[in-house]
Amino acid sequence: MNFLRRIVRPQNKEDENFYYELKELLNFKPIKLSHYKKAFTHRSLKLVDAKGNPINYERLEFLGDAILGSVIASYLYKKVPEGDEGYLTQMRSKVVSRDHLNSLGKDLDLIRFVKSNITNNQISNNIHGNIFEALIGAIYLDRGYNYCHQFIYEQVILPYVDIERLEGKISSYKGYIIEWCQKNKKKYSFDSYEDTGNQSKKHFSVRVSIDGIMIAKGRATSKKKAEEIAAKRVYYAMQDRMKNS
Amino acid sequence: MNFLRRIVRPQNKEDENFYYELKELLNFKPIKLSHYKKAFTHRSLKLVDAKGNPINYERLEFLGDAILGSVIASYLYKKVPEGDEGYLTQMRSKVVSRDHLNSLGKDLDLIRFVKSNITNNQISNNIHGNIFEALIGAIYLDRGYNYCHQFIYEQVILPYVDIERLEGKISSYKGYIIEWCQKNKKKYSFDSYEDTGNQSKKHFSVRVSIDGIMIAKGRATSKKKAEEIAAKRVYYAMQDRMKNS
């Protein structure tokens, strides 16, 4: 057991911090930290391995992009049985668009892990999406496809991928909930509070209550995003109730 | 046991034939035949399910394309550690090019399974690649990612994907072997014979011998392809020997 622990447990304080922050982010235990280190290494550091091959996240980006594409394809295939090939292709493009991936990378605050020789104002906005893809690549190498699937599902699809919104049916869940409450003469409240915990980036939590009963919570890096996440959960809870009634 | 058998075993003669042919093709047991039936159903049959959604292979094509892309990406990532992102992207495009997929679909003779209302001369060449992709999609739904990986690896990558050839380093393995033998004063022979077995499409086998010793065999739907497969195996056997000596 001790022997196993020594393999898996990080060797020094910096690795230990990295390990625990990663574990919180991934929601599972990373095994080979070197994959994740590579996913957060910018080419400007000019690192090379023993064979002279560059160590940076660019190859992992290629790998992660492909894995992400297949997980999203499989999600959409199962989720929208009536969508034809053209529809599925279009929806996937929206989910994996550069803008969307940059926003995901930012929400997960991946930039905190990045090591580079460039200054903050040299960083392009695309770095957020690129390291997000590279992280998927690292998960694949470290734990295989099923862990990528789980991570993408929990961290991307559930909180952010939204067929109704991508189809343009709903532009704001908060707006939808408010309108519904007004129409049905219900009292609603969106209560927000700072909830950063031990993360480096500021976070907010929001509770949505209807007629004094708390229906759902949301948490994100801005109040507005947390409200949308919470409102979306209320929306789906309402859909489920309608289906079952 | 009998109960399990009844679930898995096909219900009628046609399904039974389909099951055994599939099993031979896939090299593992298919579970839910309906996925594979869909993968070989052309839209011209105008089939719909109970909810009115069309039953044909077009959605599975979308899914299979994505899965294939990620398996090939992962193969290339591991196989060519010195290849940068641009190289990997370019090589993957070659492997999953329409022409290459059509040729794979033809080699596996997938068209024998297709049900459609169109006549042979209405069939476009692309159908071979499309049903190949759809088959990958069906495997994914039936048995998951790892079985797709195995199938793609055994049936696509090993016999057909060839970094050296894709890079343009070697245009014909047979040519390479003959040249090598002449240079090194070795006697060589390529002996081919018909080897169709119980398959519907004609197949050929080829044995390559050097100085009277059989080095490798190949089998394919044409003599030329079988020769290339066998010669490629000889080539890799030579590479391995050089590495280990």
Side-chain angles (χ1 to χ4, degrees), chain A residues 53 58-60 66 70 74 77 80-83 85 92 140-141 145, chain B residues 53 58-60 62 66 70 74 77 80-83 85 92 140-141 145:
Chain A
N53 296 323
E58 294 178 12
R59 277 164 47 84
L60 280 172
S70 68
S74 130
Y77 183 93
V80 195
E82 70 280 9
E85 211 192 340
R92 187 175 56 163
Y140 181 81
L141 294 180
Y145 185 83
Chain B
N53 296 323
E58 294 177 12
R59 277 164 47 83
L60 281 173
F62 163 81
S70 68
S74 130
Y77 183 93
V80 195
E82 69 281 7
E85 211 191 341
R92 187 174 57 165
Y140 181 81
L141 295 179
Y145 184 83

PDB file of all heavy atoms in Angstrom, chain A residues 53 58-60 66 70 74 77 80-83 85 92 140-141 145, chain B residues 53 58-60 62 66 70 74 77 80-83 85 92 140-141 145:
ATOM      1  N   ASN A  53      12.176  16.447 -28.464  1.00  0.00           N
ATOM      2  CA  ASN A  53      10.812  16.841 -28.836  1.00  0.00           C
ATOM      3  C   ASN A  53      10.304  17.925 -27.876  1.00  0.00           C
ATOM      4  O   ASN A  53      10.490  17.808 -26.667  1.00  0.00           O
ATOM      5  CB  ASN A  53       9.859  15.637 -28.764  1.00  0.00           C
ATOM      6  CG  ASN A  53      10.233  14.568 -29.778  1.00  0.00           C
ATOM      7  OD1 ASN A  53      10.654  14.886 -30.892  1.00  0.00           O
ATOM      8  ND2 ASN A  53      10.107  13.309 -29.383  1.00  0.00           N
ATOM      9  N   GLU A  58       0.678  21.946 -27.323  1.00  0.00           N
ATOM     10  CA  GLU A  58       0.082  22.039 -28.659  1.00  0.00           C
ATOM     11  C   GLU A  58      -0.357  20.689 -29.228  1.00  0.00           C
ATOM     12  O   GLU A  58      -1.400  20.596 -29.869  1.00  0.00           O
ATOM     13  CB  GLU A  58       1.039  22.766 -29.594  1.00  0.00           C
ATOM     14  CG  GLU A  58       1.188  24.211 -29.144  1.00  0.00           C
ATOM     15  CD  GLU A  58       2.165  25.036 -29.964  1.00  0.00           C
ATOM     16  OE1 GLU A  58       2.585  24.574 -31.037  1.00  0.00           O
ATOM     17  OE2 GLU A  58       2.501  26.149 -29.505  1.00  0.00           O
ATOM     18  N   ARG A  59       0.414  19.651 -28.994  1.00  0.00           N
ATOM     19  CA  ARG A  59       0.007  18.327 -29.478  1.00  0.00           C
ATOM     20  C   ARG A  59      -1.209  17.810 -28.688  1.00  0.00           C
ATOM     21  O   ARG A  59      -2.099  17.163 -29.237  1.00  0.00           O
ATOM     22  CB  ARG A  59       1.155  17.328 -29.337  1.00  0.00           C
ATOM     23  CG  ARG A  59       2.167  17.373 -30.479  1.00  0.00           C
ATOM     24  CD  ARG A  59       3.459  16.668 -30.087  1.00  0.00           C
ATOM     25  NE  ARG A  59       3.250  15.376 -29.475  1.00  0.00           N
ATOM     26  CZ  ARG A  59       3.069  14.234 -30.152  1.00  0.00           C
ATOM     27  NH1 ARG A  59       3.086  14.225 -31.467  1.00  0.00           N
ATOM     28  NH2 ARG A  59       2.892  13.098 -29.511  1.00  0.00           N
ATOM     29  N   LEU A  60      -1.221  18.114 -27.389  1.00  0.00           N
ATOM     30  CA  LEU A  60      -2.351  17.669 -26.563  1.00  0.00           C
ATOM     31  C   LEU A  60      -3.654  18.354 -26.978  1.00  0.00           C
ATOM     32  O   LEU A  60      -4.734  17.788 -26.840  1.00  0.00           O
ATOM     33  CB  LEU A  60      -2.079  17.952 -25.087  1.00  0.00           C
ATOM     34  CG  LEU A  60      -1.170  16.964 -24.375  1.00  0.00           C
ATOM     35  CD1 LEU A  60      -0.830  17.460 -22.980  1.00  0.00           C
ATOM     36  CD2 LEU A  60      -1.822  15.585 -24.292  1.00  0.00           C
ATOM     37  N   ALA A  66     -10.069  16.306 -30.660  1.00  0.00           N
ATOM     38  CA  ALA A  66     -10.710  15.136 -31.266  1.00  0.00           C
ATOM     39  C   ALA A  66     -11.586  14.396 -30.253  1.00  0.00           C
ATOM     40  O   ALA A  66     -12.707  13.978 -30.561  1.00  0.00           O
ATOM     41  CB  ALA A  66      -9.652  14.194 -31.834  1.00  0.00           C
ATOM     42  N   SER A  70     -15.773  13.916 -30.175  1.00  0.00           N
ATOM     43  CA  SER A  70     -16.508  12.653 -30.190  1.00  0.00           C
ATOM     44  C   SER A  70     -17.456  12.547 -28.991  1.00  0.00           C
ATOM     45  O   SER A  70     -18.557  12.007 -29.112  1.00  0.00           O
ATOM     46  CB  SER A  70     -15.571  11.458 -30.295  1.00  0.00           C
ATOM     47  OG  SER A  70     -14.820  11.315 -29.134  1.00  0.00           O
ATOM     48  N   SER A  74     -21.494  12.185 -29.381  1.00  0.00           N
ATOM     49  CA  SER A  74     -22.263  11.090 -28.796  1.00  0.00           C
ATOM     50  C   SER A  74     -23.375  11.641 -27.902  1.00  0.00           C
ATOM     51  O   SER A  74     -24.498  11.122 -27.881  1.00  0.00           O
ATOM     52  CB  SER A  74     -21.307  10.167 -28.047  1.00  0.00           C
ATOM     53  OG  SER A  74     -21.736   9.885 -26.765  1.00  0.00           O
ATOM     54  N   TYR A  77     -26.084  12.978 -30.265  1.00  0.00           N
ATOM     55  CA  TYR A  77     -26.755  11.858 -30.940  1.00  0.00           C
ATOM     56  C   TYR A  77     -27.852  11.275 -30.058  1.00  0.00           C
ATOM     57  O   TYR A  77     -28.976  11.024 -30.490  1.00  0.00           O
ATOM     58  CB  TYR A  77     -25.738  10.765 -31.277  1.00  0.00           C
ATOM     59  CG  TYR A  77     -26.350   9.610 -32.037  1.00  0.00           C
ATOM     60  CD1 TYR A  77     -26.328   9.584 -33.425  1.00  0.00           C
ATOM     61  CD2 TYR A  77     -26.986   8.568 -31.364  1.00  0.00           C
ATOM     62  CE1 TYR A  77     -26.915   8.547 -34.133  1.00  0.00           C
ATOM     63  CE2 TYR A  77     -27.579   7.524 -32.064  1.00  0.00           C
ATOM     64  CZ  TYR A  77     -27.533   7.522 -33.447  1.00  0.00           C
ATOM     65  OH  TYR A  77     -28.130   6.499 -34.134  1.00  0.00           O
ATOM     66  N   VAL A  80     -30.746  14.189 -28.898  1.00  0.00           N
ATOM     67  CA  VAL A  80     -31.697  14.724 -29.882  1.00  0.00           C
ATOM     68  C   VAL A  80     -31.973  13.686 -30.975  1.00  0.00           C
ATOM     69  O   VAL A  80     -31.450  13.779 -32.079  1.00  0.00           O
ATOM     70  CB  VAL A  80     -31.162  16.031 -30.533  1.00  0.00           C
ATOM     71  CG1 VAL A  80     -32.286  16.761 -31.252  1.00  0.00           C
ATOM     72  CG2 VAL A  80     -30.510  16.949 -29.506  1.00  0.00           C
ATOM     73  N   PRO A  81     -32.813  12.682 -30.643  1.00  0.00           N
ATOM     74  CA  PRO A  81     -33.028  11.592 -31.607  1.00  0.00           C
ATOM     75  C   PRO A  81     -33.700  12.060 -32.905  1.00  0.00           C
ATOM     76  O   PRO A  81     -33.608  11.387 -33.922  1.00  0.00           O
ATOM     77  CB  PRO A  81     -33.924  10.614 -30.851  1.00  0.00           C
ATOM     78  CG  PRO A  81     -34.430  11.336 -29.657  1.00  0.00           C
ATOM     79  CD  PRO A  81     -33.506  12.474 -29.372  1.00  0.00           C
ATOM     80  N   GLU A  82     -34.336  13.226 -32.835  1.00  0.00           N
ATOM     81  CA  GLU A  82     -35.015  13.695 -34.048  1.00  0.00           C
ATOM     82  C   GLU A  82     -34.134  14.599 -34.906  1.00  0.00           C
ATOM     83  O   GLU A  82     -34.546  14.994 -35.998  1.00  0.00           O
ATOM     84  CB  GLU A  82     -36.342  14.383 -33.684  1.00  0.00           C
ATOM     85  CG  GLU A  82     -36.203  15.729 -32.976  1.00  0.00           C
ATOM     86  CD  GLU A  82     -35.902  15.620 -31.471  1.00  0.00           C
ATOM     87  OE1 GLU A  82     -35.631  14.497 -30.982  1.00  0.00           O
ATOM     88  OE2 GLU A  82     -35.898  16.665 -30.796  1.00  0.00           O
ATOM     89  N   GLY A  83     -32.927  14.914 -34.410  1.00  0.00           N
ATOM     90  CA  GLY A  83     -32.049  15.802 -35.183  1.00  0.00           C
ATOM     91  C   GLY A  83     -31.338  15.058 -36.295  1.00  0.00           C
ATOM     92  O   GLY A  83     -30.755  14.005 -36.055  1.00  0.00           O
ATOM     93  N   GLU A  85     -28.465  14.647 -39.525  1.00  0.00           N
ATOM     94  CA  GLU A  85     -27.016  14.800 -39.572  1.00  0.00           C
ATOM     95  C   GLU A  85     -26.602  16.275 -39.637  1.00  0.00           C
ATOM     96  O   GLU A  85     -25.661  16.705 -38.960  1.00  0.00           O
ATOM     97  CB  GLU A  85     -26.530  14.084 -40.824  1.00  0.00           C
ATOM     98  CG  GLU A  85     -25.178  13.490 -40.730  1.00  0.00           C
ATOM     99  CD  GLU A  85     -24.714  13.074 -42.123  1.00  0.00           C
ATOM    100  OE1 GLU A  85     -25.560  12.910 -43.034  1.00  0.00           O
ATOM    101  OE2 GLU A  85     -23.494  12.918 -42.307  1.00  0.00           O
ATOM    102  N   ARG A  92     -22.984  20.701 -32.921  1.00  0.00           N
ATOM    103  CA  ARG A  92     -21.653  20.416 -32.395  1.00  0.00           C
ATOM    104  C   ARG A  92     -20.705  21.577 -32.666  1.00  0.00           C
ATOM    105  O   ARG A  92     -19.924  21.965 -31.807  1.00  0.00           O
ATOM    106  CB  ARG A  92     -21.081  19.124 -32.974  1.00  0.00           C
ATOM    107  CG  ARG A  92     -19.770  18.791 -32.247  1.00  0.00           C
ATOM    108  CD  ARG A  92     -19.197  17.496 -32.638  1.00  0.00           C
ATOM    109  NE  ARG A  92     -18.998  17.422 -34.073  1.00  0.00           N
ATOM    110  CZ  ARG A  92     -18.222  16.538 -34.644  1.00  0.00           C
ATOM    111  NH1 ARG A  92     -17.620  15.631 -33.921  1.00  0.00           N
ATOM    112  NH2 ARG A  92     -18.089  16.506 -35.950  1.00  0.00           N
ATOM    113  N   TYR A 140      -7.265  12.046 -21.258  1.00  0.00           N
ATOM    114  CA  TYR A 140      -7.339  10.844 -22.100  1.00  0.00           C
ATOM    115  C   TYR A 140      -6.094   9.976 -21.916  1.00  0.00           C
ATOM    116  O   TYR A 140      -6.190   8.767 -21.721  1.00  0.00           O
ATOM    117  CB  TYR A 140      -7.497  11.250 -23.561  1.00  0.00           C
ATOM    118  CG  TYR A 140      -7.602  10.083 -24.504  1.00  0.00           C
ATOM    119  CD1 TYR A 140      -8.818   9.415 -24.670  1.00  0.00           C
ATOM    120  CD2 TYR A 140      -6.506   9.627 -25.225  1.00  0.00           C
ATOM    121  CE1 TYR A 140      -8.923   8.333 -25.534  1.00  0.00           C
ATOM    122  CE2 TYR A 140      -6.606   8.551 -26.088  1.00  0.00           C
ATOM    123  CZ  TYR A 140      -7.821   7.913 -26.236  1.00  0.00           C
ATOM    124  OH  TYR A 140      -7.926   6.840 -27.085  1.00  0.00           O
ATOM    125  N   LEU A 141      -4.932  10.614 -21.960  1.00  0.00           N
ATOM    126  CA  LEU A 141      -3.694   9.836 -21.816  1.00  0.00           C
ATOM    127  C   LEU A 141      -3.573   9.257 -20.409  1.00  0.00           C
ATOM    128  O   LEU A 141      -3.095   8.142 -20.221  1.00  0.00           O
ATOM    129  CB  LEU A 141      -2.480  10.719 -22.105  1.00  0.00           C
ATOM    130  CG  LEU A 141      -2.357  11.225 -23.539  1.00  0.00           C
ATOM    131  CD1 LEU A 141      -1.111  12.099 -23.681  1.00  0.00           C
ATOM    132  CD2 LEU A 141      -2.293  10.075 -24.544  1.00  0.00           C
ATOM    133  N   TYR A 145     -10.658   7.161 -22.176  1.00  0.00           N
ATOM    134  CA  TYR A 145     -11.838   7.803 -22.754  1.00  0.00           C
ATOM    135  C   TYR A 145     -12.976   8.003 -21.765  1.00  0.00           C
ATOM    136  O   TYR A 145     -13.619   9.048 -21.751  1.00  0.00           O
ATOM    137  CB  TYR A 145     -12.338   6.970 -23.926  1.00  0.00           C
ATOM    138  CG  TYR A 145     -13.483   7.597 -24.681  1.00  0.00           C
ATOM    139  CD1 TYR A 145     -13.251   8.557 -25.661  1.00  0.00           C
ATOM    140  CD2 TYR A 145     -14.802   7.231 -24.422  1.00  0.00           C
ATOM    141  CE1 TYR A 145     -14.296   9.143 -26.349  1.00  0.00           C
ATOM    142  CE2 TYR A 145     -15.858   7.816 -25.114  1.00  0.00           C
ATOM    143  CZ  TYR A 145     -15.596   8.761 -26.081  1.00  0.00           C
ATOM    144  OH  TYR A 145     -16.635   9.343 -26.758  1.00  0.00           O
TER     145      TYR A 145
ATOM    146  N   ASN B  53     -39.272   9.308 -36.421  1.00  0.00           N
ATOM    147  CA  ASN B  53     -37.889   9.638 -36.796  1.00  0.00           C
ATOM    148  C   ASN B  53     -37.384   8.653 -37.847  1.00  0.00           C
ATOM    149  O   ASN B  53     -37.602   7.444 -37.709  1.00  0.00           O
ATOM    150  CB  ASN B  53     -36.966   9.582 -35.576  1.00  0.00           C
ATOM    151  CG  ASN B  53     -37.327  10.620 -34.541  1.00  0.00           C
ATOM    152  OD1 ASN B  53     -37.724  11.732 -34.882  1.00  0.00           O
ATOM    153  ND2 ASN B  53     -37.218  10.257 -33.276  1.00  0.00           N
ATOM    154  N   GLU B  58     -27.698   7.821 -41.672  1.00  0.00           N
ATOM    155  CA  GLU B  58     -27.080   9.149 -41.776  1.00  0.00           C
ATOM    156  C   GLU B  58     -26.650   9.738 -40.433  1.00  0.00           C
ATOM    157  O   GLU B  58     -25.605  10.366 -40.343  1.00  0.00           O
ATOM    158  CB  GLU B  58     -28.002  10.082 -42.547  1.00  0.00           C
ATOM    159  CG  GLU B  58     -28.118   9.613 -43.994  1.00  0.00           C
ATOM    160  CD  GLU B  58     -29.069  10.419 -44.854  1.00  0.00           C
ATOM    161  OE1 GLU B  58     -29.497  11.501 -44.410  1.00  0.00           O
ATOM    162  OE2 GLU B  58     -29.392   9.943 -45.951  1.00  0.00           O
ATOM    163  N   ARG B  59     -27.458   9.538 -39.404  1.00  0.00           N
ATOM    164  CA  ARG B  59     -27.055  10.042 -38.087  1.00  0.00           C
ATOM    165  C   ARG B  59     -25.869   9.246 -37.522  1.00  0.00           C
ATOM    166  O   ARG B  59     -24.971   9.799 -36.891  1.00  0.00           O
ATOM    167  CB  ARG B  59     -28.235   9.949 -37.111  1.00  0.00           C
ATOM    168  CG  ARG B  59     -29.207  11.109 -37.193  1.00  0.00           C
ATOM    169  CD  ARG B  59     -30.528  10.776 -36.502  1.00  0.00           C
ATOM    170  NE  ARG B  59     -30.365  10.180 -35.183  1.00  0.00           N
ATOM    171  CZ  ARG B  59     -30.171  10.879 -34.058  1.00  0.00           C
ATOM    172  NH1 ARG B  59     -30.168  12.185 -34.090  1.00  0.00           N
ATOM    173  NH2 ARG B  59     -30.021  10.258 -32.909  1.00  0.00           N
ATOM    174  N   LEU B  60     -25.885   7.939 -37.794  1.00  0.00           N
ATOM    175  CA  LEU B  60     -24.772   7.104 -37.319  1.00  0.00           C
ATOM    176  C   LEU B  60     -23.453   7.475 -37.991  1.00  0.00           C
ATOM    177  O   LEU B  60     -22.383   7.322 -37.405  1.00  0.00           O
ATOM    178  CB  LEU B  60     -25.079   5.621 -37.572  1.00  0.00           C
ATOM    179  CG  LEU B  60     -26.020   4.954 -36.581  1.00  0.00           C
ATOM    180  CD1 LEU B  60     -26.366   3.542 -37.054  1.00  0.00           C
ATOM    181  CD2 LEU B  60     -25.396   4.897 -35.194  1.00  0.00           C
ATOM    182  N   PHE B  62     -22.566  10.499 -38.754  1.00  0.00           N
ATOM    183  CA  PHE B  62     -22.083  11.660 -37.985  1.00  0.00           C
ATOM    184  C   PHE B  62     -21.348  11.185 -36.732  1.00  0.00           C
ATOM    185  O   PHE B  62     -20.238  11.616 -36.428  1.00  0.00           O
ATOM    186  CB  PHE B  62     -23.285  12.545 -37.615  1.00  0.00           C
ATOM    187  CG  PHE B  62     -23.013  13.526 -36.501  1.00  0.00           C
ATOM    188  CD1 PHE B  62     -22.359  14.726 -36.750  1.00  0.00           C
ATOM    189  CD2 PHE B  62     -23.423  13.252 -35.202  1.00  0.00           C
ATOM    190  CE1 PHE B  62     -22.102  15.625 -35.720  1.00  0.00           C
ATOM    191  CE2 PHE B  62     -23.176  14.146 -34.164  1.00  0.00           C
ATOM    192  CZ  PHE B  62     -22.508  15.338 -34.432  1.00  0.00           C
ATOM    193  N   ALA B  66     -16.996  11.081 -35.899  1.00  0.00           N
ATOM    194  CA  ALA B  66     -16.361  11.704 -34.729  1.00  0.00           C
ATOM    195  C   ALA B  66     -15.526  10.690 -33.955  1.00  0.00           C
ATOM    196  O   ALA B  66     -14.404  10.979 -33.527  1.00  0.00           O
ATOM    197  CB  ALA B  66     -17.432  12.316 -33.825  1.00  0.00           C
ATOM    198  N   SER B  70     -11.358  10.546 -33.393  1.00  0.00           N
ATOM    199  CA  SER B  70     -10.640  10.574 -32.123  1.00  0.00           C
ATOM    200  C   SER B  70      -9.725   9.362 -31.967  1.00  0.00           C
ATOM    201  O   SER B  70      -8.628   9.475 -31.409  1.00  0.00           O
ATOM    202  CB  SER B  70     -11.598  10.726 -30.938  1.00  0.00           C
ATOM    203  OG  SER B  70     -12.378   9.588 -30.791  1.00  0.00           O
ATOM    204  N   SER B  74      -5.691   9.691 -31.533  1.00  0.00           N
ATOM    205  CA  SER B  74      -4.956   9.111 -30.419  1.00  0.00           C
ATOM    206  C   SER B  74      -3.851   8.182 -30.929  1.00  0.00           C
ATOM    207  O   SER B  74      -2.736   8.146 -30.397  1.00  0.00           O
ATOM    208  CB  SER B  74      -5.939   8.410 -29.487  1.00  0.00           C
ATOM    209  OG  SER B  74      -5.537   7.117 -29.180  1.00  0.00           O
ATOM    210  N   TYR B  77      -1.064  10.466 -32.259  1.00  0.00           N
ATOM    211  CA  TYR B  77      -0.399  11.150 -31.139  1.00  0.00           C
ATOM    212  C   TYR B  77       0.672  10.245 -30.519  1.00  0.00           C
ATOM    213  O   TYR B  77       1.789  10.661 -30.262  1.00  0.00           O
ATOM    214  CB  TYR B  77      -1.429  11.544 -30.080  1.00  0.00           C
ATOM    215  CG  TYR B  77      -0.819  12.310 -28.938  1.00  0.00           C
ATOM    216  CD1 TYR B  77      -0.797  13.701 -28.944  1.00  0.00           C
ATOM    217  CD2 TYR B  77      -0.228  11.660 -27.856  1.00  0.00           C
ATOM    218  CE1 TYR B  77      -0.205  14.419 -27.916  1.00  0.00           C
ATOM    219  CE2 TYR B  77       0.367  12.359 -26.827  1.00  0.00           C
ATOM    220  CZ  TYR B  77       0.373  13.737 -26.852  1.00  0.00           C
ATOM    221  OH  TYR B  77       0.969  14.434 -25.833  1.00  0.00           O
ATOM    222  N   VAL B  80       3.591   8.987 -33.349  1.00  0.00           N
ATOM    223  CA  VAL B  80       4.576   9.941 -33.891  1.00  0.00           C
ATOM    224  C   VAL B  80       4.855  11.042 -32.867  1.00  0.00           C
ATOM    225  O   VAL B  80       4.360  12.164 -32.993  1.00  0.00           O
ATOM    226  CB  VAL B  80       4.076  10.574 -35.220  1.00  0.00           C
ATOM    227  CG1 VAL B  80       5.233  11.253 -35.953  1.00  0.00           C
ATOM    228  CG2 VAL B  80       3.423   9.542 -36.120  1.00  0.00           C
ATOM    229  N   PRO B  81       5.670  10.720 -31.839  1.00  0.00           N
ATOM    230  CA  PRO B  81       5.879  11.704 -30.771  1.00  0.00           C
ATOM    231  C   PRO B  81       6.588  12.970 -31.255  1.00  0.00           C
ATOM    232  O   PRO B  81       6.499  14.003 -30.603  1.00  0.00           O
ATOM    233  CB  PRO B  81       6.766  10.953 -29.760  1.00  0.00           C
ATOM    234  CG  PRO B  81       7.249   9.744 -30.446  1.00  0.00           C
ATOM    235  CD  PRO B  81       6.331   9.446 -31.578  1.00  0.00           C
ATOM    236  N   GLU B  82       7.238  12.872 -32.415  1.00  0.00           N
ATOM    237  CA  GLU B  82       7.967  14.061 -32.881  1.00  0.00           C
ATOM    238  C   GLU B  82       7.116  14.916 -33.828  1.00  0.00           C
ATOM    239  O   GLU B  82       7.540  15.992 -34.237  1.00  0.00           O
ATOM    240  CB  GLU B  82       9.294  13.660 -33.543  1.00  0.00           C
ATOM    241  CG  GLU B  82       9.186  12.929 -34.879  1.00  0.00           C
ATOM    242  CD  GLU B  82       8.838  11.440 -34.743  1.00  0.00           C
ATOM    243  OE1 GLU B  82       8.550  10.977 -33.607  1.00  0.00           O
ATOM    244  OE2 GLU B  82       8.840  10.738 -35.759  1.00  0.00           O
ATOM    245  N   GLY B  83       5.912  14.432 -34.156  1.00  0.00           N
ATOM    246  CA  GLY B  83       5.056  15.195 -35.080  1.00  0.00           C
ATOM    247  C   GLY B  83       4.350  16.342 -34.370  1.00  0.00           C
ATOM    248  O   GLY B  83       3.739  16.132 -33.329  1.00  0.00           O
ATOM    249  N   GLU B  85       1.543  19.648 -34.097  1.00  0.00           N
ATOM    250  CA  GLU B  85       0.097  19.713 -34.283  1.00  0.00           C
ATOM    251  C   GLU B  85      -0.298  19.755 -35.767  1.00  0.00           C
ATOM    252  O   GLU B  85      -1.241  19.102 -36.192  1.00  0.00           O
ATOM    253  CB  GLU B  85      -0.383  20.987 -33.596  1.00  0.00           C
ATOM    254  CG  GLU B  85      -1.758  20.932 -33.027  1.00  0.00           C
ATOM    255  CD  GLU B  85      -2.209  22.335 -32.625  1.00  0.00           C
ATOM    256  OE1 GLU B  85      -1.338  23.233 -32.459  1.00  0.00           O
ATOM    257  OE2 GLU B  85      -3.429  22.540 -32.498  1.00  0.00           O
ATOM    258  N   ARG B  92      -3.959  13.009 -40.095  1.00  0.00           N
ATOM    259  CA  ARG B  92      -5.308  12.514 -39.826  1.00  0.00           C
ATOM    260  C   ARG B  92      -6.226  12.769 -41.017  1.00  0.00           C
ATOM    261  O   ARG B  92      -7.022  11.912 -41.386  1.00  0.00           O
ATOM    262  CB  ARG B  92      -5.898  13.131 -38.565  1.00  0.00           C
ATOM    263  CG  ARG B  92      -7.224  12.445 -38.258  1.00  0.00           C
ATOM    264  CD  ARG B  92      -7.822  12.864 -36.976  1.00  0.00           C
ATOM    265  NE  ARG B  92      -8.016  14.297 -36.952  1.00  0.00           N
ATOM    266  CZ  ARG B  92      -8.773  14.911 -36.066  1.00  0.00           C
ATOM    267  NH1 ARG B  92      -9.379  14.205 -35.139  1.00  0.00           N
ATOM    268  NH2 ARG B  92      -8.914  16.205 -36.083  1.00  0.00           N
ATOM    269  N   TYR B 140     -20.064   1.829 -31.484  1.00  0.00           N
ATOM    270  CA  TYR B 140     -19.994   2.696 -30.301  1.00  0.00           C
ATOM    271  C   TYR B 140     -21.263   2.559 -29.459  1.00  0.00           C
ATOM    272  O   TYR B 140     -21.200   2.393 -28.237  1.00  0.00           O
ATOM    273  CB  TYR B 140     -19.803   4.144 -30.740  1.00  0.00           C
ATOM    274  CG  TYR B 140     -19.698   5.109 -29.584  1.00  0.00           C
ATOM    275  CD1 TYR B 140     -18.489   5.265 -28.907  1.00  0.00           C
ATOM    276  CD2 TYR B 140     -20.789   5.852 -29.163  1.00  0.00           C
ATOM    277  CE1 TYR B 140     -18.385   6.147 -27.840  1.00  0.00           C
ATOM    278  CE2 TYR B 140     -20.694   6.732 -28.094  1.00  0.00           C
ATOM    279  CZ  TYR B 140     -19.493   6.872 -27.436  1.00  0.00           C
ATOM    280  OH  TYR B 140     -19.392   7.731 -26.381  1.00  0.00           O
ATOM    281  N   LEU B 141     -22.407   2.597 -30.112  1.00  0.00           N
ATOM    282  CA  LEU B 141     -23.667   2.494 -29.359  1.00  0.00           C
ATOM    283  C   LEU B 141     -23.824   1.110 -28.748  1.00  0.00           C
ATOM    284  O   LEU B 141     -24.332   0.952 -27.643  1.00  0.00           O
ATOM    285  CB  LEU B 141     -24.858   2.792 -30.272  1.00  0.00           C
ATOM    286  CG  LEU B 141     -24.934   4.223 -30.812  1.00  0.00           C
ATOM    287  CD1 LEU B 141     -26.150   4.364 -31.723  1.00  0.00           C
ATOM    288  CD2 LEU B 141     -25.007   5.250 -29.680  1.00  0.00           C
ATOM    289  N   TYR B 145     -16.728   2.793 -26.565  1.00  0.00           N
ATOM    290  CA  TYR B 145     -15.539   3.335 -27.206  1.00  0.00           C
ATOM    291  C   TYR B 145     -14.418   2.308 -27.368  1.00  0.00           C
ATOM    292  O   TYR B 145     -13.767   2.254 -28.411  1.00  0.00           O
ATOM    293  CB  TYR B 145     -15.034   4.527 -26.392  1.00  0.00           C
ATOM    294  CG  TYR B 145     -13.851   5.228 -27.011  1.00  0.00           C
ATOM    295  CD1 TYR B 145     -14.044   6.185 -28.005  1.00  0.00           C
ATOM    296  CD2 TYR B 145     -12.557   4.952 -26.607  1.00  0.00           C
ATOM    297  CE1 TYR B 145     -12.971   6.839 -28.583  1.00  0.00           C
ATOM    298  CE2 TYR B 145     -11.471   5.609 -27.184  1.00  0.00           C
ATOM    299  CZ  TYR B 145     -11.688   6.553 -28.172  1.00  0.00           C
ATOM    300  OH  TYR B 145     -10.621   7.188 -28.731  1.00  0.00           O
TER     301      TYR B 145
END
